[in-house]
């Protein structure tokens, strides 16, 4: 069975399983702080959530696997919307459990050098409750979950759906709402 077929089966399972698509963290909760290694425009990139929040809100989106169809389309959508996120003062960070070499390639080819992608460690996956499980067993991938985190470290939006289609629209609306103070 190819990797894409395995991912398609996991995605189908996740859509049918409420436990797989459920994000434990809720709007209003404090986002767990962490540091991570990743890539921006094909080059190594290190960041800490705390440092990024000093600049403005953070859109932290988890995706299952680089270079798969849904994750590629989602990365393109975030890349195309980068100017709108920037106008609201938001930083976009994509996260998966891919290795750094894969992330370097993905950051250029699919993120189009517009935003960073980082390696989600097991601790980050657990803290943000984004472990994609099948029958209670970790698949080794993350769920497709987007968090908008306000400058004060509070989660303003959680959207967990294996369909990538609404992630950009909903996170853009949330950062615009933060900017306007509504």
């Amino acid at each position: 069975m190819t990797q894409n077929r395995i991912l398609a089966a996991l995605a189908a399972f996740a859509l049918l399983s409420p436990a797989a698509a459920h994000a434990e963290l809720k709007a209003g909760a404090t986002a767990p702080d962490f540091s991570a290694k990743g890539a921006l425009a094909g080059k190594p990139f290190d960041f800490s959530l705390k440092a990024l929040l000093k600049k403005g809100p953070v859109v932290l989106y988890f995706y299952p696997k680089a270079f798969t169809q849904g994750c590629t389309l989602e990365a393109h959508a975030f890349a195309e919307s980068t100017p709108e996120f920037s106008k609201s003062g938001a930083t976009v960070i994509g996260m998966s459990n891919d290795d750094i070499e894969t992330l370097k390639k993905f950051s250029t080819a699919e993120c189009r050098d517009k935003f960073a992608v980082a390696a989600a460690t097991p601790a980050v996956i657990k803290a943000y409750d984004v472990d994609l499980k099948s029958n209670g067993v970790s698949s080794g991938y993350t769920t497709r979950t987007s968090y908008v985190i306000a400058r004060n470290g509070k989660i303003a939006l959680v959207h967990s759906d294996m369909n990538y289609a609404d992630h950009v629209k909903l996170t853009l609306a949330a950062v615009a709402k933060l900017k306007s103070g509504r």
Side-chain angles (χ1 to χ4, degrees):
M1 191 179 254
T2 68
Q3 180 180 354
N4 285 343
R5 285 186 183 163
I6 292 169
L7 284 172
L10 288 170
F13 173 79
L15 289 172
L16 297 173
S17 171
H22 172 74
E24 182 177 317
L25 300 180
K26 301 288 184 208
T30 299
D33 189 29
F34 67 94
S35 295
K37 295 187 177 299
L40 177 61
K43 302 203 177 1
F45 176 81
D46 294 347
F47 76 93
S48 78
L49 180 61
K50 185 177 182 178
L52 285 178
L53 289 172
K54 289 180 182 176
K55 298 176 185 177
V58 172
V59 175
L60 182 64
Y61 86 92
F62 292 88
Y63 60 94
K65 184 78 177 147
F67 296 108
T68 57
Q69 184 178 7
C71 298
T72 294
L73 292 171
E74 184 177 32
H76 290 176
F78 271 108
E80 290 168 11
S81 298
T82 299
E84 294 173 70
F85 283 109
S86 294
K87 285 178 190 172
S88 294
T91 301
V92 174
I93 301 285
M95 294 195 82
S96 70
N97 68 351
D98 289 302
D99 62 48
I100 297 298
E101 288 308 311
T102 300
L103 293 172
K104 284 179 184 177
K105 293 173 190 167
F106 192 68
S107 72
T108 294
E110 309 305 349
C111 304
R112 300 175 176 161
D113 298 338
K114 300 287 186 182
F115 63 92
V117 286
T121 64
V124 170
I125 291 169
K126 182 177 181 182
Y128 281 85
D129 194 23
V130 292
D131 187 12
L132 181 60
K133 295 180 180 179
S134 177
N135 296 321
V137 177
S138 177
S139 67
Y141 301 104
T142 64
T143 60
R144 188 177 312 281
T145 302
S146 296
Y147 289 98
V148 174
I149 306 166
R151 288 185 75 162
N152 66 2
K154 300 290 184 184
I155 296 171
L157 171 85
V158 181
H159 179 64
S160 190
D161 188 339
M162 289 304 283
N163 184 336
Y164 75 92
D166 289 334
H167 285 264
V168 171
K169 176 180 73 174
L170 293 173
T171 56
L172 267 174
V175 296
K177 186 176 177 181
L178 286 172
K179 183 176 180 178
S180 71
R182 289 183 272 146

